[in-house]
Structure formats: C-alpha cells, structure tokens
C-alpha cells in the first residue's frame, strides 16, 4: 500500500512557535502555566504536563511563575489582567492572529460595524470581537452566509478568523453585498490553513482512503476532515495512531495522510509508520 503525505500538513508556524516558547519556559525554574490548553491536541497537552507545563483556565488560579498566552491570543481585558498579575507573561500569540486583532480594531476605529467571519465561541474570535468592541464598534459573528444579519447598514468592516476557508468568506461577502452593502474587507485568513486545505483536497481526490490527524476539538483539523470527506468517502479523523484500524485499509492501494496545524510531526510520523507497516 502506498502512503502519501500531503504536501502541507501538521504544525504550522504559530503552533510550533508556541510549543517552542512553552518548552523553553519549562527549562527555567518555577511553575509554568498556559491560559487554556496551549493547542487543541490532547496528546501534546498531556506531554507538556509531564514536562511541567500545566493548564489553568483563569489567571486568578496562579500566584507565581510563568504564564503563557497561547497562539489564539487573548482579549485586551485578559491581557490587562495578566499584566497586572505580577506573573511573568510569555506571549505566544501567533503574529497572524495579532494582525487580525489589529485589523478588527482598525475597522472599528474607522467607524465600521464589524463582522467577524468565524466560529462563535472560539477563543480567537472572542479576541477579535473584544478588540473591535474596545474601539466602540458593534460586532456580529457570522459562521456562514445564513448568519448574516438582515439589518446591516454601511459602513461594514469584515475581518476573518485566521483558520476560515476562503470559500466561506466569499459566500459571506456575497450575502452582505446582496444587502446592497460594499464592505471593507480585511482578509486575515492565514496561508498555513489555506495551504493545508488545498493540499488535503488535492490528495484526497486521488487516494483510496484518507487519514486526518489532529484533535477533535481543533477547528482547523475538523475542517480538513470535512474537506477530505467531500473528496474521499473513506476518510478517517483520528487523534493518534492508536485509533487506526487495519481493517479500514484492507482494499486500499493508496492512502493519503494529512494533519491539522496543531499536530506535531511526531504524531504524523507514527501514523505514516503504522500505515507503511500494513
Ligand atoms: S494557523 Fe496560521 S494563524 Fe493559526 S497559529 Fe498557525 S500560523 Fe498562526
């Protein structure tokens, strides 16, 4: 059976940077915490805990040591709370997320009602909303064209969660334009996501089965799994090699492998090694 790895797969720049910063902090003395799980990958979070990097959900739960802001970033209020806490703050916000936060604030300062295209409740989206609201803007979060409010009025500014698909942004923009509005658009989609999605789509279209590796709580991995399922009916989303079942691949000549932006290379290598051993 031929095993093909997608041209772009696995840990992106922002996730790798956050992991490196966390591991670097763990080498120093004193407790290290991340505000929420560092990445949406249970295996990696467990591994970090063994190395002394623990998850807390609230700043108030920590009274000494280092606290790490994860790649999704935080709201300005949380940032202020962290700065006032006396803890050493390591900011691992992905620079692409910081750019999206600045874009949201800029649209708001320009007098726009801000539409955030993204997943309601996602920490990155919460950060984008808060950055726009702090500048006095009214904010709507839309995850699909169906969510676009009917009472929009100009000027509208659009900013996008970095892991969104271009097709979804275009569909939302189409719906806003149907309401007679030409929005100001800050396309803040990260190319890491687009590259992984394009490579997964291309590969899934030419193999007998596809394996998508990454946390079930990772939105970018879930989106990769959706894309693969559309192209290849035998697509499997797993968090680790242990979930694979050899029976899935009995009649396959070719299997493709891809992984979300929060999946480290070691997890991809383990899956590829397993499939190659069948
Ligand atoms: S997907 Fe892009 S924006 Fe998100 S952490 Fe990775 S590099 Fe940063």
């Amino acid at each position: 059976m031929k095993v093909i790895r997608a041209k772009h797969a696995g840990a992106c720049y922002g996730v790798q940077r956050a992991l490196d910063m966390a591991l670097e902090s763990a080498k120093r003395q004193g407790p290290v915490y991340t505000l929420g799980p560092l990445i949406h990958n249970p295996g990696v979070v467990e591994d970090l805990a063994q190395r002394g990097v623990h998850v807390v959900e609230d700043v108030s739960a920590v009274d000494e040591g280092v606290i790490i802001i994860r790649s999704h970033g935080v709201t300005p209020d949380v940032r202020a709370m962290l700065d006032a806490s006396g803890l050493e703050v390591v900011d691992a916000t992905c620079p692409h997320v910081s750019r999206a936060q600045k874009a949201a604030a800029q649209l708001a300062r320009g007098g726009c009602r801000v539409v955030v295209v993204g997943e309601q409740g996602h920490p990155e989206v919460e950060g984008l909303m808060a950055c726009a609201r702090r500048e006095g803007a009214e904010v709507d979060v839309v995850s699909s064209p169906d969510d676009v409010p009917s009472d929009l009025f100009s000027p509208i500014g659009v900013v996008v969660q970095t892991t969104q698909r271009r097709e979804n942004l275009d569909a939302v923009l189409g719906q806003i334009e149907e309401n007679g509005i030409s929005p100001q658009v800050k396309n803040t989609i990260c190319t890491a996501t687009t590259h992984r999605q394009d490579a997964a789509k291309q590969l899934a279209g030419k193999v007998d089965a596809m394996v998508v590796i990454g946390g079930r709580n990772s939105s970018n991995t879930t989106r990769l799994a959706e894309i693969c399922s559309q192209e290849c009916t035998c697509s499997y989303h797993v968090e680790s090699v242990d979930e694979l079942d050899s029976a899935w691949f009995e009649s396959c000549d070719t299997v493709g492998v891809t992984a979300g932006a929060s999946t480290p290379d070691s997890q991809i290598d383990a899956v590829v090694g397993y499939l190659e051993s069948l």
Side-chain angles (χ1 to χ4, degrees):
M1 191 170 72
K2 192 172 171 196
V3 182
I4 309 169
R5 205 169 166 141
K7 195 171 158 206
H8 299 280
C12 60
Y13 161 74
V15 164
Q16 195 55 54
R17 177 174 171 270
L19 280 171
D20 292 346
M21 288 166 97
L23 292 173
E24 192 51 45
S25 304
K27 282 188 204 151
R28 287 183 272 152
Q29 244 190 349
V32 179
Y33 302 94
T34 62
L35 196 53
L38 189 66
I39 59 175
H40 288 149
N41 186 312
V44 174
V45 171
E46 226 175 272
D47 182 53
L48 282 170
Q50 276 165 15
R51 295 170 191 238
V53 181
H54 300 283
V55 180
V56 286
E57 296 300 337
D58 208 298
V59 186
S60 61
V62 182
D63 48 23
E64 57 162 347
V66 177
I67 192 149
I68 301 171
I69 299 176
R70 56 196 177 168
S71 56
H72 300 314
V74 290
T75 65
D77 282 355
V78 171
R79 177 71 216 214
M81 223 187 295
L82 285 167
D83 289 340
S85 68
L87 300 164
E88 181 186 338
V89 179
V90 172
D91 188 354
T93 306
C94 176
H96 296 298
V97 174
S98 302
R99 187 170 64 95
Q101 290 183 342
K102 282 186 191 126
Q106 202 184 2
L107 289 168
R109 275 198 298 275
C112 292
R113 173 168 165 178
V114 175
V115 171
V116 178
V117 182
E119 203 184 313
Q120 189 92 44
H122 189 283
E124 182 190 329
V125 171
E126 301 280 321
L128 297 180
M129 288 169 71
C131 288
R133 282 201 179 122
R134 193 172 60 150
E135 301 296 335
E138 193 175 333
V139 181
D140 303 276
V141 177
V142 304
S143 62
S144 75
D146 298 338
D147 295 343
V148 172
S150 52
D151 66 337
L152 288 184
F153 47 85
S154 284
I156 295 294
V158 175
V159 67
V160 199
Q161 182 183 2
T162 53
T163 48
Q164 283 288 299
R165 291 175 68 178
R166 176 76 217 202
E167 294 91 321
N168 194 40
L169 169 63
D170 289 343
V172 168
L173 293 178
Q175 185 60 49
I176 294 173
E177 280 157 12
E178 248 179 50
N179 295 356
I181 294 166
S182 298
Q184 200 181 325
V185 184
K186 302 277 187 190
N187 179 357
T188 44
I189 295 176
C190 163
T191 51
T193 307
T194 315
H195 286 160
R196 275 157 189 71
Q197 291 175 353
D198 290 350
K201 187 173 178 178
Q202 206 183 25
L203 182 56
K206 61 178 190 192
V207 291
D208 300 318
M210 243 347 252
V211 177
V212 183
I213 317 158
R216 291 197 175 78
N217 57 351
S218 151
S219 62
N220 78 81
T221 309
T222 308
R223 244 172 241 123
L224 278 183
E226 282 165 15
I227 292 169
C228 290
S229 300
Q230 282 159 11
E231 299 295 318
C232 173
T233 46
C234 296
S235 291
Y236 304 98
H237 179 178
V238 296
E239 288 194 343
S240 76
V241 65
D242 308 330
E243 293 175 30
L244 291 175
D245 182 341
S246 58
W248 298 344
F249 310 103
E250 260 163 15
S251 56
C252 296
D253 293 325
T254 49
V255 178
V257 177
T258 187
S262 43
T263 307
D265 278 351
S266 56
Q267 289 185 347
I268 307 177
D269 292 343
V271 166
V272 169
Y274 170 87
L275 291 170
E276 282 177 343
S277 75
L278 292 180

